[in-house]
Amino acid sequence: MKQSSVVVVDLLLLLLTIAVIATPAFSDLVLSKVERRIDVTSQFARVTKSLKVVNPGSESISEFMLTFPKFLGNNLAYLSVKTKRPLANLSVKKADPKGIPDSISVYSVALPKTLSKGDSLTLEVVATFTNVLQPFPEKITQGEIHLVMLQESAQYLSPYTVESQSLSIKLPNARIESYSKLENTKLQGSELKYGPYKNLPPFSYSPIVVHFESKAAFAVAEKLVREIEVSHWGNVQVTEHYNVVHRGAQLKGEFSRLDFQARPNPRGASAFRHLLARLPPRAHSIYYRDDIGNISTSEMQSDSKKTELLIEPRFPLFGGWKTFFTIGYGLPLSDFLFASEGKRFVNISFGSPMIDLVTEKLIVQVVLPEGSKDISVTTPFAVKQSREIKYSHLDIAGRPVVVLEKDNVVPDHNQHIQVYYKFSNINLLSEPLMLISGFFVLFITCIIYTRADFSISKSSPTYLAKLQWDEVLATLQEVQSIIQKCLAAHDKLEASLRDLSRTGDFQTCKAARKSTDSLLKDLSKELKPLLGFLQSSPSASHISPKVEELVVKEKELQEKLMAKHTTVVEGYEKKSSGRDIENRIASQQQKIIALRQEIEDLLEFIDEI
Amino acid sequence: MIHEFDPYFNYRTTLFLTEKGFYEFWNWFDSESWYPLGRIIGGTLYPGLMVTAALIYWALRFLRFFVHIREVCVLTAPFFASNTTLVAYFFGKEIWDTGAGLVAAVLIAICPGYISRSVAGSYDNEAVAIFALLLTFYLFVKAVNTGSLAWALGSAFGYFYMVSAWGGYVFIINLVPLYVLVLLITGRYSMRLYIAYNCMYILGMLLAMQIRFVGFQHVQSGEHMGAMGVFLLMQVFYFLDWVKYQLNDTKLFQTFLRITVTSAILVGGIALGVGTASGYISPWTGRFYSLLDPTYAKDHIPIIASVSEHQPTAWSSFMFDYHILLFLFPAGLYFCFKRLSDATIFIVMYGLTSLYFAGVMVRLILVATPAVCLISAIAVSATVKNLTSLLRTKQKVSQTGSTKGAGSSKASSKVTLDQSQPFQKNGASALLVGVFYLLSRYAIHCTWVTSEAYSSPSIVLAARGAHGNRILFDDYREAYYWLRQNTPTDAKIMSWWDYGYQITAMGNRTVIVDNNTWNNTHIATVGRAMSSNEDEAYEIMRSLDVNYVLVVFGGVTGYSSDDINKFLWMVRIGGGVFPVIKEPDYLVNGEFRVDKGASPKMLNCLMYKLCYYRFGELTTEYGKPPGYDRARGGEIGNKDIKLEHLEEAYTTSNWIVRIYRVKPPTNRL
């Protein structure tokens, strides 16, 4: 059982600390007042301490030692030390001084000013520990409640003498199975208080165990990859791949859907169904999917301050169950990209937007536009950095990627990081230009292909036949256009006749006749060589009779029209009545209409070749 | 997202192909399906689709478009469908004219019968196969029309592509010889035909042999013998032609003809007989028989008959998929017969044979769709052309007439032209309006069908809620994803074969049987396990190393195509191999029931227990007793189900998929 092993470790630790007490005091500092609050309402333990440090000795001191028992120190995810007056973040680093046993982790804090004799300073420490709430029992059935256990020391473990101290543990408002009862232990509602204890020597330690029910979601991302892609076309695309596992007590035995959904008293309290992500405001194009497609169970609410995305995995997660999913969203570039001193920088949050999610391994990849130079990163805490190249659509050199890695990330790490780089706007145009030139080349090749002659043999019969046929087609087109011109001339003649009937001015009509005559003559001259060619060409043998017919018909029509024209003009010259003229031309008129129809049919036929 | 069952397998293989390369793919032995037998993937699939998708993927990568292979797979079907419309245009142009081609392209672009298999995500063999089919036919017709070797070569390559893509290539290799035979009989033999067929057959056959799954079937299987026979017949024809040319004596030639034809038929018959008898030529397969005779499968191969896609087509589904094309089809045939040519004979034969097959099997509607579209296009185009030419002549006459003003002569000329057909113009325009009305109805119908029936993937079930809102049942994916995430990676899942591909692709776990139904005995073993009682089933499952059992159950949602409704098929298939399973044991007076009146064997078989485990405590519908099965509309007969060797591992939110864990054997005392 893990439980017993932990207890053994504690006992060892206790013995060690007792041994340590015998060693001389670390320095002369005294903690006049220590207040600790441990918040275990979620899956991690968030410890806030306020330490009042006094220097009674004569030496001035600029370094302060923070100590944790090793089993806590190993699970330390986040540590920050501040002073209230003046408000400042103090730098903390892991230290390994001599004379401290292995069972204690030590961090050294650089004080903002050296403490001389009699000076005092209040330090505000925030520390977040993961994996310190041990599920006990480790395996539960679906109907059982989820119990976890916290181990701590009722007394503050410190290399310094502590004059007064107290501890309060904020438990979720639920069942408390058991807790260590020492002197001055009080349980008030969901708050458990130890202390105050007065005048404790350095390295005092008294282990306590609290066993209570936790309804918090023990959602742990074993691995989270956040890809932040900056596009200077106005978008920051964030894609997050989650490998989530429920790290609470494992489910044993059956999972019964009936019990899980039963109306009066559903069973399965240890499972969680939802995860809540608080995305930046103005997030858009949000999607939620996994390896096998879109997941439709998500809800979104947004206002001007934030965008909240409530996602429901495909199945409820019981202890030990895993799932993988991807969420993605776009952010407006103007909210995250700034310029300073000739450089640009992206200012974006480091951690996951999921609330109360612990990430065991977080990889943040900031993808900068192609052509970015002089890349540098500033982060509020230490991360592992590396560079990569990513290829996306139409990339040639690839996009530089800044890869930041950090283990054991808690929501306290949701601070902004800055990635500085240089980028010239000309590079923006390269991809559209590439596309344009690509299409240009494509079209040019098409044009060249259709215009150029690629036949291998210039003397093969098929090739020659093709050439001939092309010529025939060209000739045909010419013939057609000439006939059309003739028809247009006919129409003009008819129009002149209409004018005549309206005005009675036969002189203009005659003039029109003359010009038309000469035009038609020219046209028929043009037509002759074309006809000759068509007759001689062997490949036009099946068309030439039709063309000839067309020309003959046209001639006929021309004659008829002329005759009609002459009749009408004569009639007007002789001042005969309109009815008379009409009667005379009636028969001609019918023929003209019929001929015209035939010609048009023929033209249509030729058109279709 | 990818639809249906088979596409998941195709997607998985494509993924493998792009990751591991072609040679690995070709030699892939898949141990994740058909446990413990495994499956030789490279030799038992048609690689055309995967290779196409991989090529597109690689080409896009080369052009610096970094797409995901999934995106390529999803869009392959629509891309090829658009190519099909292009081919349809050229085909229409070849057999009739440009107008018909254009109409054919438009019709096929929205025809539901084709859209059903060409929506985005329908990543199935048919997606590229219909394109290949139509391309092959088009190139062949072109080759016959021109007598050009180049076109015949093109059609051989088209055929090769078709063979590599889909088992439906058998249709080509039977239809083309049949067509050639018809041309020979009707005396339309020509040199063009000789060139086209010989080139296409020889080259196509040789190319097709390169596909491992097809291999030497072209010379060894009964289904391909027709093509071989026609090929030989062509040679005889050619020879006779030559002899006729040499002899110049009709009487002598007649005798020679008789002798040659009889001996040729005799030799062919003997060769076929010897081949079949010696086992060199395999007889027709059951699938082929079931195509020719709709009742064959039901009696002999329950596994084919159990697939809903293999059922004979109902009239309504013809109407659903073709709409007005169904009425235009005969009209198009009329036009084709009126202007008979080599090309129209082909399309008529294609249309008639494929329509027959479509009647036999629902899924072959797909094959008939291009033919129906083409023939209907001929009808539409020819009709519209006739009507508009009528209208146009009238207009011209009236125009020329009107130039002269209102004269009696004009009126008389009009009368003389009009006398033959009174109200011709009005009639024509009315008919034209009618045609356009029909076509617009067709477009509306197609849009409706596409949005209602073919756009939603069958893996996500949609229903309307009480307030008209849409409710999605995403239970399948829920279950598969649960399997993928929360079972050991080497877990073996037993389920009915329908879900095999999906479990391997989405759940990424080994299955016992899947949709590639190559081993009937193995499927029968699963059927037997499902229909035995728990102790016997446990023995079978232990021998198959099963860790999880997955059943699909629609009793809560009223989803009717679940495992209980498929159960009789399991019994039949199981009973076909293991006579201990007898169908009548599960029926009461020939009736299949699950309520109190059900047979005791039914009430205690594994499938029943797994589906209804703890279902008796659930109230599904207000006013009904607990344990009311909504899919079958009855209260279940065995409410107190205890499982001894299995335990519930997961049940999806709507109970559609239930997964059970097989417990390890208890220690012997």
Side-chain angles (χ1 to χ4, degrees):
Chain A
M1 283 291 287
K2 209 172 172 184
Q3 160 71 4
S4 58
S5 68
V6 170
V7 172
V8 170
V9 168
D10 287 348
L11 285 174
L12 275 175
L13 198 79
L14 200 64
L15 290 174
L16 276 170
T17 44
I18 291 164
V20 163
I21 291 166
T23 60
F26 204 72
S27 76
D28 301 338
L29 290 178
V30 168
L31 299 177
S32 64
K33 196 175 182 197
V34 175
E35 273 174 24
R36 285 191 295 156
R37 284 179 59 84
I38 304 178
D39 185 342
V40 288
T41 50
S42 61
Q43 59 160 319
F44 39 80
R46 197 161 189 274
V47 183
T48 45
K49 305 170 197 177
S50 89
L51 310 171
K52 193 169 183 199
V53 186
V54 180
N55 186 3
S58 50
E59 284 173 58
S60 44
I61 286 167
S62 61
E63 195 186 35
F64 178 77
M65 293 292 169
L66 267 177
T67 49
F68 302 100
K70 195 88 179 184
F71 73 96
L72 284 180
N74 285 345
N75 288 319
L76 180 69
Y78 177 77
L79 178 64
S80 92
V81 184
K82 282 182 194 167
T83 53
K84 268 216 175 120
R85 264 170 308 226
L87 192 68
N89 263 330
L90 308 185
S91 79
V92 184
K93 62 173 187 282
K94 198 161 167 56
D96 196 12
K98 278 177 201 156
I100 296 268
D102 277 349
S103 56
I104 293 176
S105 309
V106 183
Y107 291 85
S108 94
V109 180
L111 296 179
K113 57 175 192 220
T114 50
L115 281 183
S116 45
K117 186 178 161 53
D119 281 357
S120 75
L121 181 70
T122 306
L123 297 175
E124 304 283 333
V125 180
V126 176
T128 308
F129 301 93
T130 56
N131 298 325
V132 293
L133 299 183
Q134 299 281 349
F136 184 80
E138 288 184 350
K139 286 192 177 175
I140 54 171
T141 59
Q142 188 184 343
E144 286 173 335
I145 59 166
H146 189 220
L147 296 171
V148 294
M149 212 170 58
L150 171 76
Q151 302 180 43
E152 247 288 1
S153 165
Q155 292 158 5
Y156 178 57
L157 181 69
S158 168
Y160 311 111
T161 313
V162 181
E163 285 176 350
S164 158
Q165 65 154 309
S166 63
L167 167 70
S168 77
I169 301 174
K170 186 158 187 280
L171 300 167
N173 197 3
R175 246 171 88 176
I176 296 163
E177 200 76 357
S178 70
Y179 58 94
S180 308
K181 292 192 178 72
L182 304 176
E183 53 172 330
N184 283 342
T185 308
K186 257 184 285 172
L187 180 65
Q188 289 177 333
S190 64
E191 194 144 316
L192 187 60
K193 281 192 172 153
Y194 286 95
Y197 301 112
K198 303 274 183 197
N199 292 327
L200 294 166
F203 296 109
S204 310
Y205 189 83
S206 61
I208 51 167
V209 174
V210 187
H211 194 198
F212 58 95
E213 184 192 357
S214 173
K215 285 179 173 167
F218 274 56
V220 174
E222 288 184 311
K223 186 177 171 189
L224 164 61
V225 180
R226 298 187 74 212
E227 190 189 80
I228 299 161
E229 186 160 358
V230 180
S231 158
H232 276 233
W233 292 100
N235 193 30
V236 178
Q237 181 66 36
V238 184
T239 316
E240 298 172 351
H241 306 279
Y242 289 89
N243 276 302
V244 174
V245 63
H246 187 301
R247 274 288 155 77
Q250 296 205 348
L251 177 72
K252 75 174 176 207
E254 290 194 333
F255 161 72
S256 170
R257 175 62 71 175
L258 181 74
D259 291 340
F260 187 68
Q261 277 174 340
R263 280 294 138 72
N265 40 0
R267 301 164 77 183
S270 60
F272 64 87
R273 293 182 184 217
H274 307 283
L275 287 169
L276 183 68
R278 198 159 285 154
L279 308 178
R282 300 216 280 154
H284 59 87
S285 330
I286 297 170
Y287 64 84
Y288 167 44
R289 54 166 297 132
D290 60 22
D291 294 335
I292 58 171
N294 176 54
I295 310 170
S296 48
T297 46
S298 60
E299 275 171 49
M300 205 189 85
Q301 280 188 337
S302 63
D303 54 42
S304 61
K305 296 248 174 59
K306 62 183 187 301
T307 310
E308 275 189 342
L309 178 69
L310 184 73
I311 62 168
E312 188 177 335
R314 287 194 191 272
F315 41 84
L317 281 152
F318 277 90
W321 287 15
K322 290 183 209 159
T323 191
F324 169 84
F325 59 86
T326 300
I327 61 172
Y329 46 93
L331 299 170
L333 184 71
S334 51
D335 293 1
F336 298 92
L337 188 73
F338 305 96
S340 79
E341 298 160 14
K343 274 192 157 188
R344 298 158 198 269
F345 69 94
V346 191
N347 184 32
I348 202 155
S349 141
F350 180 75
S352 143
M354 295 280 173
I355 285 173
D356 286 349
L357 181 81
V358 170
T359 312
E360 288 183 346
K361 186 177 181 66
L362 173 66
I363 300 174
V364 177
Q365 298 168 328
V366 183
V367 183
L368 299 174
E370 196 179 16
S372 306
K373 289 183 297 261
D374 298 341
I375 301 161
S376 60
V377 185
T378 55
T379 51
F381 35 80
V383 293
K384 203 174 123 198
Q385 272 193 43
S386 57
R387 293 287 154 82
E388 272 176 17
I389 298 283
K390 187 199 170 188
Y391 290 95
S392 182
H393 295 310
L394 297 174
D395 282 349
I396 293 170
R399 304 178 181 202
V401 183
V402 177
V403 183
L404 308 172
E405 277 181 56
K406 185 160 174 58
D407 291 347
N408 229 356
V409 179
V410 289
D412 292 303
H413 286 108
N414 266 358
Q415 298 171 21
H416 283 78
I417 54 165
Q418 290 82 34
V419 180
Y420 291 87
Y421 63 97
K422 275 187 180 159
F423 179 79
S424 88
N425 279 332
I426 298 290
N427 285 342
L428 267 186
L429 293 176
S430 68
E431 286 183 359
L433 283 179
M434 230 161 73
L435 262 189
I436 290 167
S437 49
F439 276 103
F440 184 70
V441 168
L442 180 73
F443 288 136
I444 287 286
T445 12
C446 286
I447 289 168
I448 291 173
Y449 177 76
T450 50
R451 297 294 162 97
D453 187 352
F454 286 105
S455 47
I456 303 164
S457 156
K458 305 277 183 212
S459 58
S460 75
T462 46
Y463 180 69
L464 291 178
K466 190 179 159 264
L467 278 189
Q468 244 170 12
W469 181 242
D470 283 347
E471 238 172 296
V472 167
L473 283 184
T475 326
L476 267 184
Q477 251 176 10
E478 273 180 65
V479 170
Q480 259 178 299
S481 75
I482 288 171
I483 300 287
Q484 290 290 358
K485 270 183 208 161
C486 289
L487 290 183
H490 296 169
D491 285 345
K492 216 182 251 170
L493 215 55
E494 292 267 9
S496 76
L497 278 185
R498 268 201 305 279
D499 281 344
L500 180 66
S501 68
R502 212 173 53 239
T503 59
D505 181 6
F506 54 81
Q507 288 306 334
T508 43
C509 193
K510 270 185 179 166
R513 164 78 182 268
K514 216 171 246 172
S515 68
T516 318
D517 266 347
S518 64
L519 180 68
L520 286 174
K521 229 171 242 167
D522 289 347
L523 287 175
S524 68
K525 250 185 229 161
E526 275 178 47
L527 207 51
K528 240 172 219 161
L530 298 177
L531 281 180
F533 170 77
L534 281 181
Q535 272 159 356
S536 65
S537 168
S539 54
S541 55
H542 63 289
I543 316 167
S544 59
K546 285 275 175 192
V547 178
E548 270 163 47
E549 196 190 339
L550 175 68
V551 173
V552 169
K553 288 267 151 88
E554 201 276 332
K555 271 266 156 59
E556 210 176 320
L557 175 64
Q558 211 170 306
E559 275 162 27
K560 287 273 177 312
L561 209 56
M562 290 305 165
K564 173 186 160 194
H565 195 266
T566 329
T567 331
V568 174
V569 173
E570 267 173 18
Y572 272 96
E573 275 178 322
K574 287 179 191 156
K575 303 230 164 41
S576 25
S577 70
R579 180 166 285 276
D580 212 28
I581 298 170
E582 227 162 75
N583 280 343
R584 257 195 279 167
I585 59 165
S587 63
Q588 286 171 335
Q589 184 63 34
Q590 258 186 34
K591 268 183 200 156
I592 287 171
I593 288 169
L595 275 173
R596 177 105 189 191
Q597 187 59 48
E598 273 176 57
I599 287 172
E600 266 171 20
D601 283 350
L602 280 171
L603 273 178
E604 211 167 283
F605 173 79
I606 290 171
D607 221 28
E608 273 175 21
I609 290 169
Chain B
M1 185 185 154
I2 291 169
H3 296 201
E4 306 287 343
F5 299 109
D6 288 15
Y8 279 99
F9 170 74
N10 297 331
Y11 172 57
R12 188 170 146 243
T13 45
T14 314
L15 206 63
F16 187 90
L17 173 61
T18 50
E19 278 168 7
K20 302 272 173 72
F22 189 72
Y23 285 99
E24 280 283 312
F25 172 67
W26 212 226
N27 297 321
W28 182 16
F29 180 82
D30 179 23
S31 54
E32 277 196 17
S33 53
W34 293 95
Y35 185 86
L37 308 171
R39 177 182 171 196
I40 307 155
I41 298 278
T44 57
L45 54 44
Y46 293 101
L49 179 71
M50 298 92 197
V51 173
T52 310
L55 284 178
I56 295 175
Y57 173 70
W58 285 323
L60 285 175
R61 285 249 146 185
F62 175 75
L63 289 173
R64 298 268 166 211
F65 289 100
F66 287 86
V67 290
H68 192 273
I69 182 68
R70 184 186 55 239
E71 291 151 13
V72 176
C73 290
V74 165
L75 294 176
T76 300
F79 174 67
F80 272 90
S82 64
N83 291 344
T84 310
T85 56
L86 290 183
V87 177
Y89 166 73
F90 286 110
F91 203 177
K93 194 175 149 190
E94 191 62 34
I95 53 178
W96 201 258
D97 58 10
T98 47
L102 208 59
V103 178
V106 170
L107 290 184
I108 202 166
I110 54 173
C111 184
Y114 187 39
I115 282 187
S116 67
R117 290 311 183 103
S118 64
V119 288
S122 166
Y123 181 56
D124 210 345
N125 289 334
E126 286 94 330
V128 296
I130 293 304
F131 164 73
L133 178 89
L134 208 58
L135 184 71
T136 315
F137 283 155
Y138 162 63
L139 291 173
F140 183 72
V141 168
K142 187 104 185 167
V144 171
N145 274 351
T146 56
S148 142
L149 263 180
W151 291 115
L153 190 70
S155 113
F157 276 103
Y159 177 64
F160 170 58
Y161 188 51
M162 178 71 189
V163 174
S164 74
W166 193 34
Y169 76 89
V170 179
F171 179 60
I172 300 186
I173 201 66
N174 282 300
L175 176 64
V176 168
L178 194 66
Y179 161 67
V180 171
L181 197 66
V182 166
L183 286 193
L184 291 184
I185 290 169
T186 51
R188 283 171 169 268
Y189 169 79
S190 66
M191 205 58 210
R192 292 175 284 122
L193 184 67
Y194 183 80
I195 291 172
Y197 183 69
N198 284 347
C199 175
M200 190 241 160
Y201 177 65
I202 296 287
L203 279 173
M205 182 172 73
L206 290 177
L207 285 169
M209 285 181 186
Q210 312 308 312
I211 307 295
R212 272 171 60 193
F213 192 30
V214 178
F216 289 109
Q217 280 186 21
H218 274 79
V219 289
Q220 287 192 342
S221 100
E223 287 137 38
H224 302 76
M225 279 304 126
M228 176 84 90
V230 169
F231 171 70
L232 295 177
L233 199 63
M234 287 287 275
Q235 311 313 317
V236 172
F237 246 82
Y238 186 68
F239 177 67
L240 285 175
D241 241 28
W242 179 73
V243 169
K244 192 177 179 184
Y245 173 73
Q246 293 286 322
L247 275 179
N248 278 332
D249 183 353
T250 37
K251 213 173 178 189
L252 214 61
F253 177 69
Q254 287 295 331
T255 2
F256 184 77
L257 182 74
R258 229 168 284 146
I259 295 167
T260 338
V261 170
T262 7
S263 52
I265 289 171
L266 259 176
V267 169
I270 288 168
L272 195 69
V274 169
T276 319
S278 66
Y280 182 74
I281 297 170
S282 63
W284 288 357
T285 60
R287 277 173 196 255
F288 200 71
Y289 270 123
S290 63
L291 262 184
L292 297 178
D293 176 10
T295 56
Y296 179 83
K298 214 174 171 208
D299 301 334
H300 295 91
I301 334 168
I303 198 148
I304 290 182
S306 75
V307 181
S308 63
E309 275 189 338
H310 293 171
Q311 303 297 328
T313 317
W315 266 109
S316 57
S317 64
F318 271 118
M319 198 56 209
F320 193 66
D321 277 352
Y322 289 150
H323 198 234
I324 60 158
L325 302 187
L326 214 54
F327 305 108
L328 291 174
F329 182 73
L333 284 183
Y334 163 75
F335 280 107
C336 285
F337 276 114
K338 222 173 136 196
R339 203 171 97 181
L340 221 48
S341 69
D342 290 357
T344 46
I345 289 179
F346 182 84
I347 194 67
V348 165
M349 292 194 53
Y350 175 25
L352 290 178
T353 48
S354 62
L355 210 60
Y356 173 73
F357 292 136
V360 174
M361 259 192 207
V362 175
R363 69 185 224 163
L364 292 181
I365 279 194
L366 181 69
V367 175
T369 304
V372 171
C373 283
L374 278 163
I375 294 178
S376 309
I378 289 172
V380 171
S381 163
T383 314
V384 170
K385 198 154 196 173
N386 285 348
L387 293 176
T388 44
S389 70
L390 266 179
L391 280 180
R392 233 185 264 171
T393 18
K394 287 289 158 185
Q395 275 158 5
K396 264 176 200 153
V397 170
S398 56
Q399 260 170 21
T400 34
S402 65
T403 51
K404 192 74 196 93
S408 56
S409 59
K410 188 209 102 194
S412 69
S413 82
K414 202 172 173 189
V415 167
T416 49
L417 275 171
D418 256 357
Q419 262 164 358
S420 52
Q421 302 254 305
F423 307 115
Q424 202 174 27
K425 189 182 162 190
N426 296 340
S429 47
L431 279 174
L432 212 55
V433 169
V435 168
F436 283 116
Y437 174 73
L438 271 183
L439 288 178
S440 60
R441 289 311 304 178
Y442 173 69
I444 291 166
H445 171 81
C446 290
T447 331
W448 176 77
V449 167
T450 309
S451 70
E452 284 293 309
Y454 295 135
S455 295
S456 50
S458 66
I459 197 162
V460 181
L461 312 168
R464 296 261 173 227
H467 307 289
N469 51 331
R470 231 158 77 112
I471 304 173
L472 292 178
F473 296 129
D474 206 354
D475 286 39
Y476 279 109
R477 289 197 295 172
E478 183 182 338
Y480 297 146
Y481 209 61
W482 185 86
L483 280 177
R484 187 190 185 106
Q485 297 289 342
N486 295 307
T487 55
T489 43
D490 60 348
K492 283 101 197 162
I493 320 284
M494 182 172 89
S495 71
W496 191 233
W497 60 267
D498 296 21
Y499 318 109
Y501 276 167
Q502 290 183 343
I503 294 173
T504 25
M506 293 179 130
N508 197 19
R509 293 292 175 266
T510 309
V511 294
I512 306 296
V513 290
D514 68 23
N515 307 40
N516 178 275
T517 50
W518 65 276
N519 189 329
N520 197 26
T521 315
H522 216 49
I523 293 178
T525 312
V526 173
R528 183 184 173 185
M530 292 294 190
S531 39
S532 310
N533 65 41
E534 203 188 337
D535 291 323
E536 286 166 21
Y538 186 63
E539 285 303 312
I540 298 171
M541 290 190 291
R542 290 287 305 159
S543 67
L544 287 174
D545 259 3
V546 173
N547 302 107
Y548 291 88
V549 184
L550 182 148
V551 293
V552 171
F553 172 60
V556 176
T557 46
Y559 172 57
S560 61
S561 57
D562 65 351
D563 277 347
I564 290 285
N565 282 356
K566 288 175 186 167
F567 184 64
L568 274 189
W569 289 110
M570 298 182 204
V571 173
R572 274 175 210 152
I573 293 170
V577 177
F578 304 103
V580 283
I581 307 291
K582 291 183 201 70
E583 192 179 333
D585 289 350
Y586 298 88
L587 302 174
V588 178
N589 302 328
E591 215 184 329
F592 180 65
R593 19 194 329 188
V594 293
D595 55 6
K596 281 210 171 64
S599 70
K601 208 146 190 184
M602 178 72 207
L603 291 179
N604 286 305
C605 73
L606 183 70
M607 177 54 77
Y608 190 90
K609 279 184 153 184
L610 295 188
C611 283
Y612 291 122
Y613 177 63
R614 300 201 67 188
F615 181 67
E617 301 163 40
L618 183 77
T619 310
T620 49
E621 222 170 292
Y622 184 72
K624 291 278 178 354
Y628 179 78
D629 185 333
R630 292 176 71 187
R632 279 151 290 272
E635 193 181 343
I636 58 165
N638 184 355
K639 283 189 184 175
D640 184 32
I641 295 172
K642 293 271 181 292
L643 289 173
E644 196 183 333
H645 304 294
L646 296 113
E647 60 179 358
E648 189 177 356
Y650 189 73
T651 297
T652 57
S653 47
N654 298 301
W655 292 57
I656 289 179
V657 185
R658 309 195 70 183
I659 301 169
Y660 292 85
R661 195 182 295 118
V662 180
K663 286 188 197 163
T666 45
N667 289 335
R668 283 193 194 135
L669 292 173

